[in-house]
Amino acid sequence: MKRVDHEATWREAELLARLDLAYGPRVVASGEAPAEVLGGAPGGPPARWVALTWAEGRPLGDAVRDGTFSAQELALVVAHGVGRALAELHALGFCHGDVKPDNVVVSGLATRDSPDGRGAALVDYGFAARATEESRGATRHFAAPELLAAMGAGRPALALPEADSYALGVILSELVEGVSPGACPRADACRAWAEALMARLPTARPSPAWVADRASALLGLPREEPRDEDLLRRVARAAIAVSPERARGLGLGMVLDEGIDEPT
C-alpha cells in the first residue's frame, strides 16, 4: 500500500483499476485514512491511499550489477515480460510512456520448466496515456527521436506505442552491448531485435508482441493465446476508461455485465 500524494498517482490508480491488466499492476483497494495514519500531520485532511498488486523481484539495474544472470538471459526475460506487458497495453489503446530499467522488476528466469510467476514485470504507469494524446513526459535517455524532436521544437509530444517500442530497444541494446557479436546466438538475437526496435522511422519498428513471441520461443515457453472473451472484456474496459459516455452508447457495459459510471 502507498499513500497517494499527488493527482498523477491517483490518476494512475484509476486508470489501472479500469483497464484491469493481465500483465500489469492491478488495484487491490483504495480509499482514505486519517492523515496521521499515513505519516501526515495530526488533524490534517484525510490522506488517500491505494494498494496495488506486488511485483516480486528487484529492479533490473540491480540484477545487472549482481551478475546472477548473464546479459543474454536478462535480455530475453525483459524482451518477453516487458514485451507482453506493452503488447497488452497497446492493444487497449494506451502507451506506458516511461519504459526504462528503473521501471522493470526482475524476479528470475522464465523457462519451460518454470513459466509462471518468474521473469520481468513492467511497473510505474504514472506516465501512461491514451495513444495520440499529449505525452505526460519521458526519461530523455530512453525517449524516441520523434519525442525529442517535438520537445526540441516546442511542439506537443504525442504518446505513441512506437515510442514505447524504441525504449524497449534501448534497454535490450544496453543489456547485450558487452557481448561480442557472434559469441552467443541468443545475445545476437536480442541485439537484432533492439536494432529493429530503435529504427529511426517509427512505423518501421516491430511491435512488442512480435518481440515477446520470439523471446518466448527462445526461452522454451508455450505461446500464449488470449481467449476471445477475455480480450473483448479488456477492450471494453479500455473503451470505458477513455469515454464512458460513448461506451454507454455502444452498449459495452453489457459486455462486462455491469453499469458504466462517469469518472469522478
Side-chain angles (χ1 to χ4, degrees):
M1 182 177 74
K2 64 179 179 179
R3 175 176 176 168
V4 178
D5 289 318
H6 48 78
E7 289 303 317
T9 305
W10 192 253
R11 187 191 64 81
E12 174 191 4
E14 290 180 330
L15 177 64
L16 291 174
R18 287 178 176 272
L19 293 184
D20 190 27
L21 298 171
Y23 298 120
R26 293 185 177 188
V27 174
V28 178
S30 62
E32 292 185 346
E36 57 269 26
V37 173
L38 296 177
R48 294 190 293 182
W49 59 269
V50 59
L52 303 177
T53 51
W54 179 253
E56 190 69 37
R58 53 207 166 130
L60 175 58
D62 291 349
V64 171
R65 283 187 290 272
D66 69 21
T68 301
F69 307 115
S70 68
Q72 60 268 22
E73 288 173 331
L74 282 175
L76 280 176
V77 296
V78 168
H80 175 251
V82 176
R84 67 180 183 177
L86 288 176
E88 177 186 31
L89 191 63
H90 294 171
L92 295 174
F94 286 79
C95 304
H96 184 275
D98 199 22
V99 179
K100 59 183 179 181
D102 287 349
N103 289 336
V104 177
V105 174
V106 177
S107 61
L109 297 181
T111 66
R112 179 173 49 201
D113 299 323
S114 180
D116 298 323
R118 300 177 66 82
L122 183 62
V123 299
D124 195 344
Y125 285 63
F127 282 179
R130 185 168 41 147
T132 71
E133 280 187 347
E134 185 171 347
S135 171
R136 300 183 185 280
T139 300
R140 187 174 185 85
H141 181 69
F142 301 93
E146 60 271 18
L147 294 182
L148 294 176
M151 291 186 287
R155 302 193 309 270
L158 301 181
L160 298 171
E162 294 84 0
D164 284 344
S165 298
Y166 181 92
L168 175 58
V170 176
I171 294 175
L172 296 181
S173 177
E174 294 185 348
L175 284 173
V176 298
E177 65 181 354
V179 182
S180 300
C184 174
R186 289 187 167 193
D188 288 342
C190 292
R191 185 177 292 109
W193 302 339
E195 291 176 356
L197 289 165
M198 295 167 64
R200 298 286 302 182
L201 187 64
T203 54
R205 297 169 196 156
S207 70
W210 182 90
V211 174
D213 279 348
R214 278 145 186 81
S216 178
L218 287 182
L219 288 166
L221 296 171
R223 185 171 181 178
E224 299 178 29
E225 297 288 351
R227 294 184 304 166
D228 290 344
E229 60 267 30
D230 289 342
L231 179 60
L232 180 59
R233 289 176 65 84
R234 292 205 295 273
V235 169
R237 286 189 182 278
I240 292 168
V242 171
S243 176
E245 183 176 350
R246 185 175 182 186
R248 186 187 299 109
L250 294 173
L252 291 180
M254 292 185 293
V255 173
L256 301 176
D257 196 26
E258 61 188 44
I260 301 175
D261 297 324
E262 295 289 345
T264 59

